[in-house]
Amino acid sequence: MSSSSYLHLFQFCFFLIISTCLAQTTFHPKTLFLAVKKDPSTLEYITEVHQRTPLVPLKLAVHLGGESLWVDCEQGYKSSTYKPARCNSRQCNLARSTACGYCFENTTRPGCNNAACYNLVVNPSMDAMSSTSGEIAEDVLSIQSISGSIPGPVATVPRFIFSCSTTNLTQNLGKDVKGMVGFGQQSPVSFATQFASAFRFSRKFAICLSSSTERNGVIFIGHSPYYFSLAFDASQDLIYTPMITLPHYITITYPHYTRINRASSEYYIQVSSIRINGKTLPLNKTLLSLDENDEEGGTKISTAVPYTVLEASVYSAVSKAFVNEMPEEVKTVSSVQPFKTCFDSTYIGMSRLGYNAPEINLVLHKPNVYWTITGANSLVKVTEKVICLAFVERDEALGQAIVIGGYQMQDNLVEFDLSRGRIGFSNSLFFRQTMCSNHNYA
């Protein structure tokens, strides 16, 4: 049996095990949803769930590559149904526990119990992707289901596995945001996987981020259709590319230098080349290939960065070609942090696809399969008269050549089909004269 076959067998077994850990119900929805709003100050995408007994609304930042849901248990966590995961339990194994320990405070509380297991809790919005040990636990969690094109009954998992964090890890998450919700691809306790296990539907979810800070986008969990503007099913427009999985990776965390060797929860795809207005850019193809041994190079999709990040030579090629393809009357102006390439917007027109800008194509695993980026996702307004190329240059020496960020995903439906190992892209919904906020789910 091949290594990939063993990996899929391993994932399937975990899927069955977690199903037995979650209470069964006679209510069997096919699709669930989360409303998502862009935070104007942090540029993060915020959703809300209800957790605990009695239920409490919780604002959480969306972390596409996060392993699990984690919340601040240090401030105000009260619930009659909270249960810490005991050392060597199935819950500890599912959550890929890294340690087992005791609480050294005078009294136990949610997040600090004796003989409980812990894992790493990460906040990628903080410097150096800050992390801490978090107690693994279970509690009630509820979100809304979908009935056709409108909200349906509430779907509840009585024993949802999550991690507790300390308050200091919620820095940079925005006002009243109490943690993060992770959708990581190979994590048995990711948000989508736990709900799929509880209600026995496909391990699949789709993200549609709104460009507006006033109107909600949506995350679908489960089966399509994905309705917008009442009758339009955006799943019919999806083009697919294989989802790249890394069977292992090693993380060294500061300050404890904990070494972890396990499957990566991040989402990778193959970008073979980049075209601007149909012209292929001269890029170092080695950079575009993901090194599975050290998780360098290649392309990652992430909600942890607000704008797509490009390795220095890739950024230089994209910026130069983009400037060359702009109309002659459009002049460059001084940079505005964090952007390096900016323009006087006086002579840049608008259309239903956003600013009139050169078309960018991220060519995927085949030449005829590509993600089209139009002016709505390639240019961002920074002042009344200045717009900038909405890509930033990577400032670290190592990392991915391309990290596709939230701005480029806005008003595009992106489906993550874990069961079939593929990622689907709709391209801009503006082509269909709709957008991610045009739905009836919230």
Side-chain angles (χ1 to χ4, degrees):
M1 186 180 289
S2 67
S3 59
S4 79
S5 297
Y6 277 118
L7 177 61
H8 284 101
L9 178 61
F10 175 76
Q11 291 173 337
F12 177 71
C13 290
F14 257 137
F15 186 81
L16 291 179
I17 292 170
I18 197 171
S19 295
T20 65
C21 292
L22 301 170
Q24 300 302 306
T25 176
T26 56
F27 171 49
H28 295 289
K30 292 184 178 181
T31 312
L32 311 173
F33 82 91
L34 294 170
V36 183
K37 182 171 287 188
K38 185 177 182 178
D39 184 283
S41 58
T42 65
L43 303 183
E44 291 173 335
Y45 300 93
I46 309 301
T47 189
E48 185 175 277
V49 302
H50 286 77
Q51 190 201 42
R52 312 174 193 179
T53 302
L55 288 172
V56 173
L58 287 179
K59 288 185 178 181
L60 303 170
V62 175
H63 183 193
L64 182 60
E67 292 192 349
S68 65
L69 183 149
W70 65 263
V71 300
D72 172 14
C73 293
E74 196 172 32
Q75 298 291 329
Y77 194 109
K78 295 180 180 179
S79 175
S80 62
T81 47
Y82 178 93
K83 293 181 181 179
R86 299 304 178 184
C87 298
N88 303 315
S89 65
R90 286 188 298 175
Q91 290 82 355
C92 296
N93 292 332
L94 286 169
R96 304 194 288 196
S97 171
T98 57
C100 188
Y102 290 82
C103 179
F104 296 103
E105 297 181 10
N106 292 330
T107 59
T108 60
R109 59 168 177 81
C112 191
N113 288 273
N114 294 329
C117 58
Y118 296 80
N119 63 2
L120 282 180
V121 179
V122 178
N123 180 354
S125 70
M126 295 175 66
D127 293 339
M129 285 189 62
S130 296
S131 64
T132 187
S133 292
E135 181 176 272
I136 300 166
E138 296 178 328
D139 212 335
V140 176
L141 193 140
S142 295
I143 62 174
Q144 201 82 36
S145 71
I146 286 174
S147 177
S149 61
I150 60 174
V154 169
T156 299
V157 176
R159 299 172 60 190
F160 192 93
I161 299 171
F162 71 106
S163 295
C164 278
S165 169
T166 52
T167 303
N168 64 347
L169 203 66
T170 62
Q171 296 178 52
N172 300 348
L173 289 185
K175 184 179 180 181
D176 299 326
V177 179
K178 299 299 183 182
M180 306 192 81
V181 53
F183 288 84
Q185 66 156 312
Q186 296 187 94
S187 170
V189 293
S190 73
F191 196 81
T193 293
Q194 288 200 65
F195 272 99
S197 301
F199 296 106
R200 299 186 181 276
F201 52 64
S202 297
R203 291 185 303 134
K204 183 168 66 174
F205 66 97
I207 291 181
C208 205
L209 301 176
S210 174
S211 54
S212 169
T213 58
E214 301 298 326
R215 301 183 64 188
N216 292 332
V218 63
I219 297 178
F220 301 93
I221 302 170
H223 297 280
S224 55
Y226 312 128
Y227 285 121
F228 296 89
S229 297
L230 295 179
F232 170 59
D233 175 13
S235 69
Q236 301 302 308
D237 280 0
L238 294 175
I239 57 172
Y240 290 96
T241 193
M243 181 188 300
I244 299 175
T245 59
L246 295 186
H248 63 83
Y249 76 105
I250 296 176
T251 298
I252 302 177
T253 62
Y254 180 84
H256 303 296
Y257 297 99
T258 302
R259 296 180 67 87
I260 300 174
N261 189 349
R262 63 190 186 206
S264 172
S265 60
E266 299 284 359
Y267 290 91
Y268 299 93
I269 58 173
Q270 178 63 53
V271 171
S272 302
S273 63
I274 300 176
R275 297 195 298 250
I276 295 184
N277 273 0
K279 301 173 184 177
T280 301
L281 305 188
L283 301 176
N284 181 348
K285 293 299 180 70
T286 302
L287 288 171
L288 298 181
S289 297
L290 178 64
D291 189 327
E292 295 188 3
N293 293 317
D294 58 12
E295 209 176 3
E296 298 292 336
T299 299
K300 179 169 70 175
I301 305 175
S302 177
T303 54
V305 294
Y307 302 96
T308 291
V309 179
L310 302 176
E311 184 273 339
S313 67
V314 177
Y315 179 87
S316 177
V318 169
S319 173
K320 181 179 179 180
F322 195 89
V323 170
N324 288 341
E325 292 297 319
M326 290 289 274
E328 289 186 6
E329 62 270 20
V330 178
K331 305 302 181 184
T332 58
V333 296
S334 299
S335 61
V336 179
Q337 288 300 316
F339 309 109
K340 295 181 66 175
T341 306
C342 299
F343 305 91
D344 182 336
S345 62
T346 303
Y347 299 105
I348 297 180
M350 295 285 290
S351 73
R352 63 186 177 91
L353 301 178
Y355 293 105
N356 293 332
E359 183 178 279
I360 301 174
N361 291 324
L362 302 182
V363 182
L364 305 175
H365 65 292
K366 294 181 179 180
N368 63 340
V369 180
Y370 48 88
W371 186 347
T372 298
I373 300 175
T374 65
N377 300 97
S378 64
L379 290 169
V380 58
K381 181 179 179 180
V382 294
T383 70
E384 280 302 314
K385 292 189 177 182
V386 175
I387 58 174
C388 296
L389 180 64
F391 295 76
V392 298
E393 183 178 326
R394 192 183 79 193
D395 55 9
E396 291 88 3
L398 301 175
Q400 270 61 62
I402 304 171
V403 181
I404 299 173
Y407 193 82
Q408 279 63 47
M409 295 171 67
Q410 288 176 174
D411 293 310
N412 287 248
L413 179 76
V414 185
E415 180 188 79
F416 299 84
D417 189 340
L418 302 172
S419 298
R420 302 178 69 175
R422 63 182 188 173
I423 298 176
F425 308 90
S426 70
N427 289 316
S428 177
L429 295 183
F430 292 166
F431 283 112
R432 291 289 196 164
Q433 300 184 46
T434 187
M435 60 185 66
C436 287
S437 59
N438 284 353
H439 58 80
N440 292 327
Y441 301 115

